[in-house]
Amino acid sequence: MNDLICRLHYPLANFDLAAELTVPPGVTVILGPNGTGKSSLLRLLAGLNQPVSGQIMLGERCLYDAEKQIFLPPEQRRIGMVFQDLALFPHLNVSGNIGFGLKMRRTSSGERQKKVQQLLEKLSIKHLAERDVATLSGGERQKVALARTLATDPQLLLLDEPTASLDPSARGEIRRWLQAVLTRLRIPTLLVTHDAEEVAYFRKRVVVMEQGQIIQQGSFHQLLREPASEFVARFVGVNYILGDVREQSGKLAFYSRGGTKFLAPFEQVVPGPAFMTVLPWDIALYRELPDGSPRNNLYGEIHDVVIFGDRVRITLAQEDKLVAEISTRGYLALGEPQPGEKFWAVFKAREARIESYEESPC
Amino acid sequence: MKRPRLFNLFLLTCGTALGILILLPVLALLLAASPTGLLKLFTQPQVLQALWITLLSSLLALPMIFLLGLPSAYGLSRCSGRVRRSLEVLLELPMVMPPVVAGLALLLAFGRRGLLGDLLNGVGLRIPFTLGAVVLAIVFVITPFFVRRCVVLFDAIEQKLEEAALLLGATPLQTFWHVTLPVVRRGLFAEGVMALAQGVGLFGVIILFAGNLPGRTQTLSLAIYSAFESDPQQAFSLGALLLLISLLLLATVHLLAPPEGGR
């Protein structure tokens, strides 16, 4: 297999980048807040910066090994990288940009033109061939930048926030296009983003980075079910509540920072600092507290109502904050709650997932 | 709001005074030289020779300036910190050296009894008081200025462009040749013309290192100096001619320079 396997160490301004990662062929999304070292990781892989220690293997090839003192320069790594600002060559037209890598490899002019034509067709941008890159739209520039990179048959593809610089109207189209192009490639691809929607397009493999560390790897679904940090939870839209697990007369209970008591299955949880996660669609809203089996409930004021198509997201806040996602039908049945009205948020004990915190969060 | 207005008035006065200081002598020179006097210059073989030597020496110096200056400027723009500062000081040395002193220094380095004198004699090369000396003097004086301005050009290039080229498999040399140079080509062309313009006007360093030999090392600047003692009117006409050449080159620079990037 031509996996990328790397273990890297590199000091950044405020923290150290220390990442260990295996990337199989296909798209892996790297997700993380801004300034967390995602772009630095790509630069280290590309050979634009040199790590202080570690190793990078791409298939059988060793690109970097601190102990063996191997450091392949970027031009020998066969890694394709699309920069956030694309860096198209301003002095060449679209075909010139795409053919650049082949020209540098002294590919004959006929073969080069053939390859450029093939790529233009494959990526459906044939109409741009003779255009000056300065006249292209944001989305077109993105396509040309990827075509330029693919022309050299890279063995690893690095994409740095490919849609961040686009205006929202172009973003959706480029994401669909990227998805179509990237899923056809058979090479390891790392796509850096801090945008939740982008992750939803490439949901199979997600790597979450925070403060230079990889804190979680898994599918988008796993992130949703078991977010490893507040960032992940907020990012995927899961409720994340900090508090403590306390033991009272032999029974465990979770007390939020806001002082509300919650019940949960408490699997492998010990008394002490912990956090609780609840999926927004597992929460129901009521004007009056219903009777019945013991459930978790929180009484609070509606702060925010956002309607997305057939779903409605309602933020309820008092001492603690909970986001509930209900269907539009349910919303209408409740009499279209408005900000300022008071409601009960109710969820079953088994919908709450509680996990101990190793260290007390500050 | 009174003070700013007074201050603006002060700025305007200073600016106007400087403008007059620049334009008045230029105007005086152009007025002193009659069009017929200028045309008559082209019938004098000595003037044509001086013109030829001026242009030839500057044009011969230009490739050497580029050959030495461009890689040095690129290298310097890659440096940072103390290394860069010390190299920049080294570049400033010829810039602050009085031209006459520069001429003496060149004589002492490349002259028959100079540091390299024996070596040059050994291969039968005599530099002082030849056209070669004129060219070498121009290269010596102009290259540091050229390098300084090219460093600014190279510094302004987005580094991502070069990194993108490397990642596409271009070697550093290919990157320099196929990306860096083409991206700043307009600026480089303008700097080349600027170097020509500066070279055309050199005087002190040439008269000491290359002498004032009509037909061999006498450039227009030197011809003006010679003419001024015997025939001031001739000197004025020659001066106007040199001024017109400089103006022409200056106009070329500004026609080329402005739209860097963005085509």
Side-chain angles (χ1 to χ4, degrees):
Chain A
M1 287 303 278
N2 288 318
D3 291 7
L4 166 75
I5 300 169
C6 71
R7 181 168 47 78
L8 295 172
H9 210 265
Y10 184 70
L12 295 172
N14 298 318
F15 47 83
D16 279 5
L17 179 82
E20 217 175 316
L21 196 59
T22 299
V23 185
V27 179
T28 298
V29 173
I30 301 186
L31 173 71
N34 279 327
T36 205
K38 305 187 298 286
S39 298
S40 305
L41 176 64
L42 294 195
R43 291 181 63 83
L44 291 171
L45 292 173
L48 297 172
N49 294 113
Q50 186 164 357
V52 289
S53 67
Q55 195 188 33
I56 304 173
M57 295 289 297
L58 183 53
E60 300 294 305
R61 292 193 305 143
C62 177
L63 305 184
Y64 168 71
D65 193 317
E67 279 158 34
K68 291 186 200 151
Q69 304 209 329
I70 297 174
F71 179 79
L72 235 55
E75 65 269 24
Q76 288 172 22
R77 292 198 174 194
R78 302 203 54 196
I79 291 180
M81 179 156 171
V82 178
F83 291 93
Q84 193 176 348
D85 48 13
L86 306 179
L88 294 177
F89 302 129
H91 60 291
L92 298 173
N93 68 7
V94 169
S95 296
N97 266 278
I98 298 176
F100 182 86
L102 297 170
K103 191 174 171 190
M104 294 305 113
R105 275 147 219 230
R106 309 222 157 74
T107 312
S108 74
S109 141
E111 206 174 314
R112 193 165 79 226
Q113 274 168 7
K114 212 174 99 195
K115 183 96 195 250
V116 170
Q117 278 305 317
Q118 278 174 355
L119 261 171
L120 287 167
E121 268 168 51
K122 196 168 137 198
L123 304 184
S124 41
I125 48 172
K126 212 174 160 187
H127 55 289
L128 301 177
E130 299 308 315
R131 287 269 290 279
D132 186 331
V133 292
T135 67
L136 300 177
S137 72
E140 288 167 341
R141 293 170 67 79
Q142 183 69 50
K143 291 178 178 181
V144 173
L146 186 61
R148 179 178 73 174
T149 300
L150 294 181
T152 56
D153 288 324
Q155 295 179 350
L156 169 69
L157 188 59
L158 308 173
L159 304 164
D160 195 358
E161 309 231 0
T163 61
S165 60
L166 299 177
D167 56 274
S169 60
R171 219 169 273 168
E173 189 225 322
I174 291 297
R175 281 198 187 118
R176 279 190 293 281
W177 179 86
L178 262 180
Q179 192 187 23
V181 171
L182 295 182
T183 44
R184 264 185 286 161
L185 296 175
R186 297 278 179 270
I187 54 169
T189 301
L190 276 174
L191 186 150
V192 159
T193 188
H194 64 261
D195 185 328
E197 259 184 81
E198 206 137 290
V199 178
Y201 274 87
F202 302 100
R203 48 176 67 235
K204 263 206 232 145
R205 275 196 303 272
V206 183
V207 171
V208 184
M209 248 181 109
E210 251 181 281
Q211 301 268 40
Q213 313 265 335
I214 288 170
I215 57 160
Q216 190 166 14
Q217 297 191 48
S219 69
F220 189 55
H221 191 73
Q222 277 170 304
L223 259 58
L224 215 56
R225 282 280 152 202
E226 297 160 14
S229 77
E230 188 170 358
F231 166 77
V232 180
R234 265 215 305 268
F235 184 87
V236 294
V238 172
N239 291 296
Y240 184 92
I241 292 174
L242 282 173
D244 301 281
V245 169
R246 295 179 202 158
E247 196 169 346
Q248 283 172 336
S249 52
K251 279 188 160 182
L252 290 177
F254 176 81
Y255 284 85
S256 73
R257 292 250 171 114
T260 317
K261 180 181 169 185
F262 292 101
L263 297 172
F266 296 110
E267 286 157 9
Q268 301 167 350
V269 178
V270 289
F275 63 85
M276 176 180 79
T277 52
V278 194
L279 295 174
W281 40 90
D282 287 336
I283 299 176
L285 293 179
Y286 295 95
R287 282 188 191 271
E288 303 293 335
L289 191 61
D291 307 323
S293 61
R295 304 187 207 206
N296 288 315
N297 53 61
L298 180 80
Y299 190 59
E301 192 182 300
I302 292 182
H303 268 217
D304 196 24
V305 176
V306 186
I307 302 176
F308 303 96
D310 61 344
R311 309 291 298 168
V312 183
R313 279 181 87 98
I314 296 172
T315 309
L316 204 73
Q318 206 63 30
E319 278 78 25
D320 295 297
K321 200 176 89 175
L322 277 179
V323 178
E325 194 174 306
I326 58 178
S327 67
T328 312
R329 198 186 298 164
Y331 177 70
L332 293 174
L334 282 173
E336 300 186 42
Q338 295 301 315
E341 290 182 52
K342 292 213 156 194
F343 270 83
W344 286 96
V346 177
F347 55 96
K348 290 177 191 144
R350 63 179 164 87
E351 309 289 9
R353 203 179 64 86
I354 290 180
E355 216 172 284
S356 294
Y357 233 110
E358 287 106 42
E359 311 144 59
S360 182
C362 32
Chain B
M1 296 305 283
K2 215 172 174 186
R3 240 176 40 171
R5 214 194 288 162
L6 206 66
F7 183 61
N8 283 346
L9 202 67
F10 170 67
L11 297 182
L12 189 68
T13 315
C14 288
T16 314
L18 179 62
I20 292 172
L21 184 66
I22 292 172
L23 287 176
L24 199 66
V26 171
L27 197 70
L29 182 61
L30 290 177
L31 286 175
S34 62
T36 46
L38 262 175
L39 282 176
K40 231 172 69 190
L41 288 179
F42 291 98
T43 62
Q44 301 166 0
Q46 241 199 326
V47 172
L48 289 177
Q49 267 177 348
L51 183 62
W52 167 242
I53 285 166
T54 306
L55 296 179
L56 184 68
S57 57
S58 281
L59 284 173
L60 286 177
L62 203 56
M64 290 178 70
I65 293 173
F66 267 82
L67 199 67
L68 289 176
L70 268 189
S72 308
Y74 188 63
L76 191 54
S77 91
R78 304 286 101 162
C79 293
S80 59
R82 195 179 292 168
V83 180
R84 177 162 177 161
R85 255 170 291 140
S86 15
L87 289 173
E88 277 172 349
V89 170
L90 181 69
L91 269 184
E92 279 164 3
L93 194 63
M95 291 189 191
V96 295
M97 208 187 262
V100 179
V101 178
L104 284 177
L106 282 170
L107 261 183
L108 290 173
F110 299 100
R112 206 187 306 171
R113 296 208 190 103
L115 288 179
L116 295 183
D118 290 340
L119 192 76
L120 292 170
N121 273 337
V123 293
L125 209 64
R126 203 176 74 93
I127 294 179
F129 311 110
T130 64
L131 186 67
V134 182
V135 174
L136 189 57
I138 294 175
V139 172
F140 176 79
V141 176
I142 305 302
T143 312
F145 289 97
F146 177 79
V147 169
R148 271 275 280 251
R149 290 190 301 258
C150 288
V151 168
V152 175
L153 282 181
F154 288 134
D155 279 346
I157 292 184
E158 237 194 295
Q159 215 188 329
K160 290 259 169 72
L161 288 179
E162 295 177 346
E163 290 174 348
L166 290 174
L167 285 166
L168 290 169
T171 62
L173 177 66
Q174 283 179 317
T175 302
F176 179 64
W177 191 250
H178 291 283
V179 175
T180 315
L181 287 185
V183 166
V184 292
R185 65 198 185 286
R186 275 168 174 280
L188 286 181
F189 205 89
E191 291 313 337
V193 178
M194 196 72 189
L196 269 184
Q198 279 185 297
V200 161
L202 292 187
F203 175 75
V205 61
I206 293 180
I207 201 163
L208 265 145
F209 186 45
N212 188 2
L213 309 169
R216 283 183 51 198
T217 66
Q218 190 183 62
T219 62
L220 274 180
S221 307
L222 300 178
I224 292 172
Y225 173 74
S226 300
F228 191 62
E229 291 181 330
S230 53
D231 180 1
Q233 191 54 46
Q234 170 84 353
F236 299 150
S237 300
L238 283 171
L241 176 64
L242 196 53
L243 179 64
L244 287 176
I245 293 175
S246 304
L247 285 177
L248 192 73
L249 291 173
L250 187 68
T252 318
V253 169
H254 286 278
L255 275 179
L256 291 171
E260 188 60 53
R263 295 226 275 201

